[in-house]
Amino acid sequence: MKLTVIGCSGSVPGPDSAASSYLVTADGFNLVLDLGSGALGSLQRHLAVPEIGAIGLSHLHPDHCMDLCGLYVAARYAPGSPIPRIPVFGPPGTSARMALAYDLPLDPGMEEELEFHAWQEEQLIGPFTIRTAPMVHPVPAYAIRVEYGDKSLVYTGDTGPNDALVELARGADVLLSEAALQDNDPHNPTDLHLTPSDAGEHAKRAGVKRLVITHVPPWYDRATQAEHARRTFSGPVEIATPHAVFDI
């Protein structure tokens, strides 16, 4: 299983990165986790739109889903269209939300190009077993565990600290964790995001093998956030950067 970082900028696109998007591949199947602002362009450096096997959305904030609008246009109008409908997994109501984002009638919305499914606790997507757990965020949000054979990747999406993330990540090979807040900032909002020390603490409690820090806003420094995660996690801590590849 291979993880390729498509976009890792937190909350907004940054000067060197699109917002959240990650490509997970195995057995020739391409699973895209999130498709945030600016990510569709970066994704096409790695594969063509018809090669997308499925998309999983952690939640419906624009920095995690808004390039689904561009995907809809490509699937509908690009040469070679129509292409087979691309499965999209996300929170309940994803189809209606994306139709509104593009000012489409709710029926059919984007349903002729994209095949929408609500997350279940467990589902099979291509060669992957996918498990999800609700997270702590102002909108319905999910952490996503991707399993292929005996390998596992857990992506936090956006979340505040919570025990469900620890349980979902238990024993994972890689925890791809957001770290959007700074440590020891008295102005940090509650139940919104993780600090680097939070990310490290969750990784430690879950017993994961590697921690990859992501979703750092462009106004903070990725290397500093990763260094602070090492305060609470003694295992390998790596930094998500655009187009970085991690073998799992």
Side-chain angles (χ1 to χ4, degrees), residues 58-59 61 64 132-144 155-166 168 178 180-181 189-195 198 202 205 215:
S58 64
H59 65 293
H61 278 156
H64 292 259
T132 66
M135 292 291 102
V136 177
H137 206 54
V139 299
Y142 295 83
I144 301 166
Y155 169 47
T156 64
D158 283 5
T159 185
N162 69 96
D163 292 339
L165 175 58
V166 173
L168 188 71
E178 68 123 291
L181 302 179
T190 59
D191 296 339
L192 184 65
H193 288 297
L194 300 176
T195 68
D198 290 333
H202 284 64
R205 291 174 58 200
H215 198 277

Side-chain angles (χ1 to χ4, degrees), residues 11-48:
S11 301
V12 298
D16 68 343
S17 177
S20 295
S21 188
Y22 309 91
L23 174 62
V24 185
T25 57
D27 284 351
F29 188 89
N30 298 305
L31 170 65
V32 179
L33 299 179
D34 283 342
L35 197 63
S37 310
L40 182 60
S42 295
L43 179 64
Q44 291 175 87
R45 291 179 59 176
H46 299 273
L47 75 168

Side-chain angles (χ1 to χ4, degrees), residues 10-178:
S11 301
V12 298
D16 68 343
S17 177
S20 295
S21 188
Y22 309 91
L23 174 62
V24 185
T25 57
D27 284 351
F29 188 89
N30 298 305
L31 170 65
V32 179
L33 299 179
D34 283 342
L35 197 63
S37 310
L40 182 60
S42 295
L43 179 64
Q44 291 175 87
R45 291 179 59 176
H46 299 273
L47 75 168
V49 166
E51 296 176 304
I52 300 172
I55 296 171
L57 300 178
S58 64
H59 65 293
L60 299 181
H61 278 156
D63 60 316
H64 292 259
C65 72
M66 196 50 64
D67 265 26
L68 219 62
C69 290
L71 180 68
Y72 157 76
V73 172
R76 185 173 181 86
Y77 297 110
S81 61
I83 63 175
R85 295 166 73 204
I86 299 172
V88 177
F89 295 79
T94 296
S95 176
R97 176 66 64 84
M98 297 316 303
L100 288 171
Y102 204 78
D103 199 25
L104 297 170
L106 296 184
D107 186 12
M110 298 181 180
E111 291 278 0
E112 293 178 349
E113 295 74 27
L114 308 176
E115 179 184 311
F116 290 92
H117 304 271
W119 283 124
Q120 307 298 313
E121 287 188 15
E122 184 174 315
Q123 50 264 293
L124 296 177
I125 303 176
F128 303 113
T129 299
I130 309 290
R131 293 196 287 126
T132 66
M135 292 291 102
V136 177
H137 206 54
V139 299
Y142 295 83
I144 301 166
R145 183 179 180 115
V146 182
E147 297 176 344
Y148 174 72
D150 63 351
K151 301 300 183 180
S152 56
L153 160 71
V154 174
Y155 169 47
T156 64
D158 283 5
T159 185
N162 69 96
D163 292 339
L165 175 58
V166 173
E167 291 307 313
L168 188 71
R170 186 76 63 189
D173 291 283
V174 172
L175 175 61
L176 178 63
S177 177
E178 68 123 291

